[in-house]
Amino acid sequence: MAERSHRRVLPVALGTAVLAAGLGGGFWWWRSAQAVEVPQAACWNAFTHEDLAALSGAGHQAVVWEGSEQLGARDAQADPVCAVDWEGDDARTHWVAKIEVAHADERFLRAKTDAEASGWEPDRPAQLEFGAGAQGWLFHDGTVQLMVRCDPPAGAPPASSATAPAAATAPAGKPGSAPLPYRKITITGDRGSAQTPAARVHQIRVDAALRTARELVRAQGCANDPRLAGQSPTAPF
């Protein structure tokens, strides 16, 4: 049974529009599965073959759908996105797993903190320790999010003037905008195989979030050198 949430969760809602735009804008290309049930790895190596096999279930084949933007692109016109689908599911309504990497700033963190303070129970997410350089959460619908600050490397040309009046409101990557300092990694998907416990699904997503953050820091050359955990935290449920 697909894992669904009937409550509106603030951070998930913020990322939905960006992912939908990527799907509708034609930024996708198809990579066929190899002669095995699932690919050996997917989404910047965030998911291993073992992960994908557990998510897909025995007897299923999976294919990878990856956006044209890569993690190392700083002036991209779209956010990096990647998803894994069951082979043959042309409707693509039930994803095995999907990752979105979006720009964000302190306003996202403030809004989230205010929402939690007002009382989100029982939807209050569990905190995940991804290291001193990141913040993470596991939501009760199984969504995992990780926030990491990534400053431009020394000598990198600025995307725009951060002192311009429009810099505070213009979208990242558009003329007159300042680069947003954070990257928000969101990982979700359907429950997948009924044989795979929910806690195992959640742990796979937690592991994938840390791997994505590590690859992002490497690809972007973050000048602030974010300190990430040596291993993933344990999913609490």
Side-chain angles (χ1 to χ4, degrees), residues 170-190:
K174 298 294 182 64
S177 67
L180 299 180
Y182 289 93
R183 299 297 186 275
K184 175 167 60 76
I185 298 167
T186 302
I187 302 184
T188 187
D190 287 330

Side-chain angles (χ1 to χ4, degrees), residues 141-170:
D141 69 343
T143 297
V144 172
Q145 287 194 324
L146 184 155
M147 288 275 290
V148 59
R149 185 180 180 105
C150 181
D151 295 336
S160 63
S161 173
T163 59
T169 57

